[in-house]
Amino acid sequence: MKLIAIIVTYLPDQKELLRNIRSCIDDVEELIIWENTPIDTINYDKKLFLKEFSGKISFSGLGMNVGIGKALNFGAKVAIRKGFTHLLTLDQDSFFETNHLEKYKKQISEFDDHKAGIFGVNYINNNQNAWKISEKYLQKPDCITSGSIVPVKTFLSAGFFDEDLFIDGVDFDFCYKIKQNNDLKTIICSEVIMNHQVGYLTKTKFGFSTENYSAFRTYYIVKNHLLLWKRYNRLFPASRKIHLIKNYIIYRLIKIVLAEKDKKAKTFAIGRGIYDAFFRSDAAENNISI
């Protein structure tokens, strides 16, 4: 396996980003740090990174936030151009347990099924594993972007990530698309552990926790997951449909009203997300300023 990685960043914490790079750098041949941070708000010392990881990392970006899809597609095209066999995609807040990326590569190499289109990991969020470790390989409908390893041949046969979705759902859309169009599988390596942060959980005075997503992020979460439901009704799992309605819309509205700031903007974002998903033919291309 000839592996290149890309980490997509947006106002990252320097100490956290360094830790995360150290968890993977020895097991990749090249690492791209894609900066979605606006150029005038870069908040870390690039020289420090270039000195410690000399010869293995490079910085790329367009000086503004272009979303997840465009960044990942840049990594995919670099992988193709340079002759890599696989692309590892990572968020800035994810890091592997010691030696687990090495284990991950070995398990992928041993997996003998040419229909494997993308591999995912067993991530830990809030001290809980995403999957039970029952079998080494689990076939699932989808996996998250962070920790995914995509064989380059998948891009060549099935295409790239949907840049118009911008942020949320880019990963799930890719999994459903390659399954629907090319019958390619999403395989989870359940023994490979990666630490990953989902949202910004805050305990409220009412006893429940809230994710505190911004209005901007709230809009894309609602709109894009509804679009996935419309695009891939058969493949979009019932559990995700229930979670969307219950957690992203109903419960989220209650949490916003009771415990979050920017109530008006966030409530509007949910309504606008629903409207755009159902009533605008260009919904995937919409951007919103809130």
Side-chain angles (χ1 to χ4, degrees), residues 258-278:
L258 293 179
E260 295 189 25
K261 297 179 180 179
D262 300 323
K263 301 180 191 299
K264 183 177 179 181
K266 292 178 181 179
T267 302
F268 174 76
I270 290 176
R272 175 71 182 274
I274 294 170
Y275 178 85
D276 284 352
F278 283 105

Side-chain angles (χ1 to χ4, degrees), residues 64-101:
M64 59 182 179
N65 187 358
V66 297
I68 299 295
K70 185 179 287 292
L72 297 180
N73 285 341
F74 175 83
K77 291 169 185 176
V78 170
I80 292 169
R81 187 176 73 248
K82 292 190 173 183
F84 287 93
T85 61
H86 293 75
L87 172 71
L88 167 65
T89 62
L90 290 164
D91 293 350
Q92 66 189 31
D93 54 9
S94 302
F95 64 96
F96 287 96
E97 291 289 297
T98 303
N99 298 323
H100 274 239
L101 180 51

Side-chain angles (χ1 to χ4, degrees), residues 215-239:
F216 179 82
R217 182 76 187 275
T218 297
Y219 167 76
Y220 278 105
I221 288 173
V222 172
K223 185 195 75 172
N224 287 359
H225 283 84
L226 285 170
L227 285 175
L228 292 181
W229 189 341
K230 289 174 63 180
R231 286 179 180 179
Y232 311 103
N233 182 42
R234 182 179 61 85
L235 295 174
F236 196 57
S239 60

Side-chain angles (χ1 to χ4, degrees), residues 103-111 136-137 189 191:
K103 178 196 291 187
Y104 193 15
K105 292 168 61 180
K106 185 174 185 293
Q107 290 188 359
I108 290 174
S109 297
E110 292 172 347
F111 189 75
K136 183 187 292 188
Y137 304 107
C189 296
E191 296 175 350

Side-chain angles (χ1 to χ4, degrees), residues 20-176:
N20 300 348
I21 291 173
R22 289 171 184 144
S23 81
C24 72
I25 194 68
D26 290 339
D27 293 297
V28 301
E29 296 189 33
E30 185 176 333
L31 172 64
I32 301 165
I33 299 177
W34 178 277
E35 299 175 298
N36 266 340
T37 304
I39 195 166
D40 57 344
T41 55
I42 295 291
N43 58 337
Y44 49 88
D45 184 1
K46 291 186 186 181
K47 292 180 181 178
L48 180 67
F49 289 81
L50 292 169
K51 181 179 179 181
E52 178 170 347
F53 309 112
S54 177
K56 265 203 169 182
I57 73 165
S58 61
F59 288 87
S60 295
L62 297 176
M64 59 182 179
N65 187 358
V66 297
I68 299 295
K70 185 179 287 292
L72 297 180
N73 285 341
F74 175 83
K77 291 169 185 176
V78 170
I80 292 169
R81 187 176 73 248
K82 292 190 173 183
F84 287 93
T85 61
H86 293 75
L87 172 71
L88 167 65
T89 62
L90 290 164
D91 293 350
Q92 66 189 31
D93 54 9
S94 302
F95 64 96
F96 287 96
E97 291 289 297
T98 303
N99 298 323
H100 274 239
L101 180 51
E102 181 182 6
K103 178 196 291 187
Y104 193 15
K105 292 168 61 180
K106 185 174 185 293
Q107 290 188 359
I108 290 174
S109 297
E110 292 172 347
F111 189 75
D112 186 22
D113 187 342
H114 70 283
K115 281 295 186 179
I118 184 171
F119 294 88
V121 297
N122 197 350
Y123 63 90
I124 299 175
N125 180 50
N126 295 322
N127 299 314
Q128 187 173 0
N129 283 17
W131 310 104
K132 291 182 180 180
I133 305 177
S134 54
E135 299 178 29
K136 183 187 292 188
Y137 304 107
L138 305 172
Q139 184 176 341
K140 295 294 180 179
D142 51 53
C143 64
I144 64 170
T145 301
S146 199
S148 294
I149 291 183
V150 186
V152 165
K153 64 181 182 180
T154 298
F155 297 119
L156 296 174
S157 65
F160 297 90
F161 295 95
D162 185 345
E163 298 182 8
D164 291 328
L165 291 175
F166 198 73
I167 306 177
D168 288 276
V170 174
D171 41 14
F172 296 165
D173 177 82
F174 186 76
C175 295
Y176 303 146

